[in-house]
């Protein structure tokens, strides 16, 4: 998996997550009740396994990616009044420098 494919994977996860939340919110407005976000965990786990393979099965990479995607809202880091954004490319570079043997 090269950097371009990794970036595409992260951007696709972001787009799918955004669409899932948008659909859930729209359905909640239509039906005037809570509608859970669609569960894509089977596909996400498959994608995570592919990424893990690329990074030599170092499970720490998955923690880093999960943190980036779901806790930092795809790279947003708020420091006081400042918002820093780590791009998917920067994430790849950071992970590659730490977890890939050259």
């Amino acid at each position: 998996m090269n950097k371009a494919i990794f970036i595409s994977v992260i951007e696709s996860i972001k787009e799918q997550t955004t669409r899932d939340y948008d659909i859930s919110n729209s359905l909640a407005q239509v039906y005037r009740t809570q509608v859970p976000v669609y569960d894509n965990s089977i596909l996400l786990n498959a994608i995570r396994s592919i990424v893990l393979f690329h990074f030599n099965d170092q499970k720490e990479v998955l923690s880093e990616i999960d943190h980036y995607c779901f806790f930092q809202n795809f790279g947003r880091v708020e420091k006081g009044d400042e918002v820093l954004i780590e791009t998917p490319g920067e994430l790849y570079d950071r992970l590659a420098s730490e977890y890939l043997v050259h």
Side-chain angles (χ1 to χ4, degrees), residues 45-61:
N45 286 337
I47 292 167
R48 291 170 84 235
S49 294
I50 293 166
V51 171
L52 182 62
F53 175 78
H54 174 71
F55 284 97
N56 304 313
D57 292 326
Q58 296 184 60
K59 295 188 185 332
E60 297 86 0
V61 170

Side-chain angles (χ1 to χ4, degrees), residues 29-87:
Q29 288 179 352
V30 168
Y31 293 109
R32 294 192 169 116
T33 187
Q34 270 192 330
V35 177
V37 175
Y38 186 78
D39 179 8
N40 285 319
S41 62
I42 294 170
L43 284 174
L44 284 174
N45 286 337
I47 292 167
R48 291 170 84 235
S49 294
I50 293 166
V51 171
L52 182 62
F53 175 78
H54 174 71
F55 284 97
N56 304 313
D57 292 326
Q58 296 184 60
K59 295 188 185 332
E60 297 86 0
V61 170
L62 295 181
S63 295
E64 294 273 354
I65 292 171
D66 286 347
H67 183 78
Y68 175 88
C69 292
F70 303 113
F71 294 102
Q72 290 184 327
N73 193 19
F74 296 91
R76 289 179 56 91
V77 178
E78 295 182 21
K79 292 191 175 187
D81 292 340
E82 190 177 9
V83 177
L84 306 172
I85 305 288
E86 181 179 30
T87 67

